[in-house]
Amino acid sequence: TAKPTGVVTGLTARCSILVPPVKVSLYSGRTLVASATVPAGASYRLTVAPGLYNVIGLGGGSPTAAVRVGRTVTVNSPLIGCA
């Protein structure tokens, strides 16, 4: 049987015209749970088990995502993608 999951999605920032790809990571405490690398200004989507996660991008900061079964949490942050 499939494990229950939820989704964290959002839009990364586009800080200038020539920006390298952005790595968005989800951490539970100090444990890396999932990550995705997307073009700056693009959306990301990570499917994870329910729980609380810190969303980390290149710009620092760590908004929290509370993931529930079958739900999508959107985390758009100006910090995600701007170094």
Side-chain angles (χ1 to χ4, degrees), residues 3-74:
K3 294 183 180 182
T5 60
V7 173
V8 179
T9 187
L11 194 61
T12 61
R14 170 170 250 140
C15 301
S16 68
I17 294 173
L18 299 174
V19 177
V22 176
K23 183 174 183 180
V24 179
S25 302
L26 295 184
Y27 282 86
S28 177
R30 293 183 177 179
T31 303
L32 175 64
V33 177
S35 66
T37 301
V38 298
S43 62
Y44 66 92
R45 180 179 177 89
L46 299 166
T47 301
V48 293
L52 288 175
Y53 299 96
N54 290 321
V55 183
I56 307 294
L58 291 178
S62 57
T64 300
V67 177
R68 294 170 49 194
V69 174
R71 301 287 177 107
T72 298
V73 177
T74 301

